[in-house]
């Protein structure tokens, strides 16, 4: 019986202790943490590290600025201006080779960089830049192909027209003079 009475009193005592703890008005944990001096110091140090590292990350980002022309320039507008300039084949060759060299330089860049506590994976950026190089090369080769095709078509039409004119037997003295004049023009144009 005594054991039972102690047990019941003990339970009531526990209840009273729990009630006492629940009725105590303590500050919330976030307020206690926010007002702690050690926590404030740590927060200040973390903020300083974040600001410093942000500067390092921006500096690293500027290392890719030498590739900015790959994505900044409107490719179609540039190609239209390029076509109007009627460049020589050597210029096409140099420009296509330049983008091959840029692609090789991009391939040499490290893809994973650690800047203090940040691990940067630049593989997607590298892949996008290589795609831009391929686009530029394709634009130049397509333009070269179109210009060469147009010139060949013009030459074919020129040859067909003049062949028809020279193949037709002249019926008058005037037509004979025109045919001889055309033949002479073609011969002098061939010498040049």
């Amino acid at each position: 019986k005594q054991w039972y009475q102690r047990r019941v009193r003990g339970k009531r005592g526990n209840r009273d202790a729990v009630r006492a703890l629940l009725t105590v008005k303590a500050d919330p944990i976030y307020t206690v943490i926010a007002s702690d001096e050690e926590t404030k110091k740590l927060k200040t140090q973390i903020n300083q590290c974040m600001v410093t590292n942000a500067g390092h990350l921006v500096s690293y980002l500027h290392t890719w600025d030498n590739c900015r022309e790959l994505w900044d320039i409107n490719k179609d507008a540039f190609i239209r201006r390029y076509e109007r300039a009627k460049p020589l084949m050597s210029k096409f060759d140099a420009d296509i080779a330049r983008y091959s060299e840029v692609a090789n330089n991009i391939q040499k860049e490290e893809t994973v960089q650690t800047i203090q506590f940040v691990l940067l994976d630049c593989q997607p950026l590298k892949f996008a830049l290589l795609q831009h190089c391929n686009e530029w090369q394709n634009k130049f080769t397509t333009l070269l192909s179109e210009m060469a095709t147009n010139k060949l078509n013009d030459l074919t039409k020129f040859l067909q027209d003049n062949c028809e004119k020279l193949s037709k037997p002249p019926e008058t003295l005037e037509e004979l003079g025109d045919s001889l004049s055309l033949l002479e023009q073609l011969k002098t144009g061939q010498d040049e």
Side-chain angles (χ1 to χ4, degrees), residues 162-185:
N162 289 321
C163 187
E164 277 181 30
K165 289 177 186 176
L166 292 175
S167 298
K168 182 181 172 190
E171 294 179 3
T172 65
L173 194 54
E174 186 179 321
E175 288 179 1
L176 178 63
D178 290 343
S179 293
L180 288 174
S181 174
L182 177 61
L183 183 61
E184 192 61 37
Q185 285 176 349

Side-chain angles (χ1 to χ4, degrees), residues 90-142:
S90 59
K91 177 81 169 125
F92 273 102
D93 190 41
D95 287 330
I96 293 169
R98 182 169 62 97
Y99 285 104
S100 293
E101 184 179 336
V102 169
N104 287 337
N105 290 340
I106 290 170
Q107 285 284 19
K108 292 176 187 174
E109 290 290 330
E110 288 292 322
T111 55
V112 178
Q113 291 283 329
T114 303
I115 299 176
Q116 287 186 352
F117 54 87
V118 176
L119 181 66
L120 292 175
D121 181 8
C122 296
Q123 186 64 36
L125 173 63
K126 197 172 171 180
F127 182 72
L129 291 174
L130 291 172
Q131 281 184 318
H132 279 288
C133 287
N134 285 336
E135 284 178 35
W136 277 109
Q137 288 175 322
N138 288 339
K139 296 255 182 213
F140 281 114
T141 54
T142 301

Side-chain angles (χ1 to χ4, degrees), residues 14-182:
N14 284 346
R15 280 188 213 144
D16 294 338
V18 168
R19 279 189 196 131
L21 284 174
L22 291 175
T23 58
V24 173
K25 298 290 182 184
D27 291 333
I29 189 73
Y30 65 87
T31 307
V32 173
I33 292 173
S35 63
D36 183 44
E37 288 302 316
E38 190 64 30
T39 305
K40 288 179 182 178
K41 287 179 188 175
L42 285 174
K43 184 179 174 188
T44 303
Q45 288 175 346
I46 290 171
N47 285 339
Q48 287 173 346
C49 284
M50 293 296 284
V51 168
T52 302
N53 204 39
H56 293 306
L57 291 171
V58 168
S59 295
Y60 176 73
L61 183 62
H62 289 304
T63 62
W64 294 98
D65 279 349
N66 60 345
C67 299
R68 181 173 288 281
E69 70 179 24
L70 292 175
W71 71 84
D72 254 359
I73 297 173
N74 182 332
K75 294 174 184 70
D76 293 326
F78 180 86
I79 290 296
R80 283 191 299 273
R81 285 191 311 270
Y82 195 86
E83 181 179 13
R84 283 192 297 269
K86 299 185 191 262
L88 298 173
M89 176 60 191
S90 59
K91 177 81 169 125
F92 273 102
D93 190 41
D95 287 330
I96 293 169
R98 182 169 62 97
Y99 285 104
S100 293
E101 184 179 336
V102 169
N104 287 337
N105 290 340
I106 290 170
Q107 285 284 19
K108 292 176 187 174
E109 290 290 330
E110 288 292 322
T111 55
V112 178
Q113 291 283 329
T114 303
I115 299 176
Q116 287 186 352
F117 54 87
V118 176
L119 181 66
L120 292 175
D121 181 8
C122 296
Q123 186 64 36
L125 173 63
K126 197 172 171 180
F127 182 72
L129 291 174
L130 291 172
Q131 281 184 318
H132 279 288
C133 287
N134 285 336
E135 284 178 35
W136 277 109
Q137 288 175 322
N138 288 339
K139 296 255 182 213
F140 281 114
T141 54
T142 301
L143 177 62
L144 179 61
S145 174
E146 289 171 0
M147 290 175 71
T149 301
N150 290 340
K151 283 190 176 194
L152 284 174
N153 289 338
D154 291 345
L155 179 62
T156 302
K157 185 174 179 351
F158 174 78
L159 291 174
Q160 285 174 343
D161 290 346
N162 289 321
C163 187
E164 277 181 30
K165 289 177 186 176
L166 292 175
S167 298
K168 182 181 172 190
E171 294 179 3
T172 65
L173 194 54
E174 186 179 321
E175 288 179 1
L176 178 63
D178 290 343
S179 293
L180 288 174
S181 174
L182 177 61

